[in-house]
Amino acid sequence: MNPCIICMMDCLPNDKHKDDTWGETTTAVTGTSEHSLSQEDIVRITKDLEDSVGLDCRRYFTLTLAVILGLLVFLSPLAFMVLPHLLWPEKLQSCGTACEGLFISVAFKLLILLLAVWALFLRPARASLPRLFVFRALLAVLVLLFVLAYWLFYSVRILDSQDEDYQGIVHYAVSLVDALLFIHYLAIVLLELRQLQPYFSVCVTRSTDGETRHYNLGQLSIQRAALAILEHYYCDFAIHNPALLSASKSRAAKHLAGLKVYNVDGDLPAAPAEGPGNNAAAGMAHSQSRAIIAAAAHCRDSSHNELYYEEAEHDRRVRKRKARLVVAVEEAFTHVKHMKEEEQKKAPGDVMDPREAAQAIFPSMARALQKYLRTTKQQHCHSMESIQQHLAFCISNNMSPKAFLESYLKPGPTLQYSRDHWLARQWTLVSEASVTSGLRDGTVFILKCADFGLVVTVKRIPYIRLSEEYIDPKSHKFVLRLQSETSV
């Protein structure tokens, strides 16, 4: 397989020194922190700097080529009309009314082309792809060859012969601008319109917890499809929480660690390489392995009961912590409401800032919130500073306690959390096929990062055949006959 790397732009190092005891010591936001760097951290930072330097060089090189090509495109029509006036002005024929009208046409067409290029190409880069975008590279080569062909014809037929028909030269420049506009229309079709119609259904599965999403994509290359999937991932998938995955591993390790075999007869005496003692030791080892297998099977038969009671106990604790948290938050918001009513009676200069109000009521709910986050294993996703900022935001926008708690009761998408959880993530695209090739039915590729991977399976949307069945409107008509005699 050929792994290719896709890096998010403006990567930042992830801070792993988080304090998860803010709920027990929430009295004041003061203190200092000391950070130490190990040799591994220095090596990792050096590698990140080298990768970022390589990406910056590649980005600036591509930008330089694009600027040079753009200047060549926009200055060529103007040069076609200016050079005759500079090289042989005395031989040129006078420019009539039709020729002067062409000047206005060239000016407006160049302005339209400039705005169109700005709207389509001069957009901030969303990511750095491992390979070139094939269609964009082909369009750049096409424009370069087209402009060079025009310059070659201009130098042979106009510059060498010093053509006196200035109106024909202006027509020649107008034809170049028209051709560039048509090439820009081709770029819109290839870069934007071609991928709008869905052709494939992709299944994206996270390798650790099995969370799955399905998306419809158009005719894209593998690397462009990977970029689209990552954009959907940060908005649709819940944040990856490794702490939730450690429960099953610890449970299996506990069962295996609890298996012990005891020799009630004592240790066997040492025996030669060949003899009855060696056969007895082999028989004892075989019996021990059979005992371990039998004990493991027995534990497997009874492990579902332990799992059931563990999950029931965990759900009970979560509901208990949630109830305490809801009550604490409602009381805190009620206190804020009373504070607002009292501040309305005060002078305008004595009104409390939302940030100060959040810091004032946060200690009353901090312990309940921390216990709930620890029970649900979300304490590493929320810092004290982020919670206070969210609380101040809810207070300033007059939001309810339920709106404040929604961010903590349910795990949200990755972008909902701080930038440290997603900005420093580096993705690796692993694909057997070339990443510049298009999607096909059955294509499988993997997007890997440090903690997990996204397994992507591509299926073609089937061809849908619709048929029409005509229903005669007269077939719905019926006659209702009533009896003339009625019972008395």
Side-chain angles (χ1 to χ4, degrees), residues 276-344:
N278 190 19
N279 295 332
M284 179 62 68
H286 182 66
S287 62
Q288 289 180 359
S289 63
R290 293 182 60 182
I292 291 176
I293 294 175
H298 178 72
C299 291
R300 184 176 65 251
D301 294 338
S302 60
S303 61
H304 65 279
N305 291 327
E306 297 181 10
L307 176 61
Y308 172 78
Y309 288 111
E310 285 180 6
E311 291 183 350
E313 178 64 21
H314 180 265
D315 293 340
R316 186 191 67 82
R317 290 179 59 195
V318 169
R319 290 195 299 268
K320 182 179 179 181
R321 303 294 188 195
K322 180 181 177 180
R324 291 181 178 177
L325 175 61
V326 170
V327 172
V329 172
E330 288 180 351
E331 291 178 354
F333 272 74
T334 303
H335 181 63
V336 170
K337 184 178 179 181
H338 291 321
M339 290 173 59
K340 287 184 177 180
E341 293 177 354
E342 294 178 358
E343 288 175 355
Q344 290 178 356

Side-chain angles (χ1 to χ4, degrees), residues 84-394:
H85 283 285
L86 297 178
L87 299 180
W88 61 94
E90 65 280 353
K91 297 181 180 180
L92 290 177
Q93 297 178 0
S94 61
C95 185
T97 305
C99 179
E100 294 176 355
L102 291 176
F103 290 155
I104 301 176
S105 175
V106 170
F108 276 98
K109 287 180 179 179
L110 285 177
L111 179 60
I112 293 173
L113 181 62
L114 178 62
L115 295 177
V117 169
W118 169 78
L120 183 61
F121 296 103
L122 300 181
R123 291 181 288 187
R126 296 179 297 172
S128 176
L129 299 181
R131 301 289 179 86
L132 287 176
F133 189 10
V134 176
F135 285 135
R136 182 169 292 190
L138 289 178
L139 288 171
V141 172
L142 176 62
V143 170
L144 180 61
L145 293 178
F146 191 78
V147 174
L148 291 179
Y150 259 78
W151 269 108
L152 180 62
F153 185 85
Y154 182 81
S155 61
V156 173
R157 299 299 300 271
I158 297 178
L159 291 180
D160 292 345
S161 62
Q162 294 185 354
D163 193 358
E164 300 177 359
D165 186 9
Y166 187 69
Q167 185 173 356
I169 297 174
V170 175
H171 274 291
Y172 185 75
V174 172
S175 66
L176 174 60
V177 178
D178 292 338
L180 292 174
L181 287 173
F182 281 110
I183 292 178
H184 186 272
Y185 173 73
L186 177 63
I188 295 176
V189 173
L190 293 179
L191 302 181
E192 300 294 334
L193 300 181
R194 182 174 177 270
Q195 63 189 16
L196 293 181
Q197 184 176 359
Y199 277 90
F200 301 97
S201 175
V202 295
C203 175
V204 185
T205 305
R206 190 155 56 188
S207 60
T208 51
D209 56 359
E211 186 173 354
T212 303
R213 295 288 187 275
H214 296 268
Y215 304 105
N216 290 338
L217 297 180
Q219 296 180 352
L220 295 172
S221 63
I222 293 179
Q223 62 177 358
R224 302 281 295 179
L227 177 59
I229 289 170
L230 289 178
E231 291 174 350
H232 286 295
Y233 168 78
Y234 283 113
C235 298
D236 296 342
F237 278 74
I239 186 172
H240 181 255
N241 193 350
L244 296 176
L245 306 174
S246 61
S248 59
K249 296 181 181 179
S250 62
R251 190 183 303 112
K254 181 179 67 175
H255 289 318
L256 292 177
L259 299 178
K260 295 182 180 180
V261 178
Y262 298 94
N263 186 7
V264 297
D265 295 331
D267 297 334
L268 291 173
E274 296 180 358
N278 190 19
N279 295 332
M284 179 62 68
H286 182 66
S287 62
Q288 289 180 359
S289 63
R290 293 182 60 182
I292 291 176
I293 294 175
H298 178 72
C299 291
R300 184 176 65 251
D301 294 338
S302 60
S303 61
H304 65 279
N305 291 327
E306 297 181 10
L307 176 61
Y308 172 78
Y309 288 111
E310 285 180 6
E311 291 183 350
E313 178 64 21
H314 180 265
D315 293 340
R316 186 191 67 82
R317 290 179 59 195
V318 169
R319 290 195 299 268
K320 182 179 179 181
R321 303 294 188 195
K322 180 181 177 180
R324 291 181 178 177
L325 175 61
V326 170
V327 172
V329 172
E330 288 180 351
E331 291 178 354
F333 272 74
T334 303
H335 181 63
V336 170
K337 184 178 179 181
H338 291 321
M339 290 173 59
K340 287 184 177 180
E341 293 177 354
E342 294 178 358
E343 288 175 355
Q344 290 178 356
K345 303 177 182 178
K346 297 180 180 179
D350 298 335
V351 177
M352 182 177 294
D353 186 77
R355 179 70 177 178
E356 298 177 357
Q359 292 178 352
I361 67 172
F362 179 70
S364 62
M365 69 175 74
R367 187 173 182 82
L369 180 58
Q370 188 197 33
K371 286 186 176 181
Y372 177 80
L373 293 179
R374 284 182 174 178
T375 304
T376 56
K377 300 185 184 302
Q378 301 182 63
Q379 69 274 12
H380 67 283
C381 299
H382 305 279
S383 63
M384 182 178 65
E385 183 67 22
S386 64
I387 295 175
Q388 288 185 356
Q389 290 178 358
H390 181 56
L391 181 58
F393 175 79
C394 294

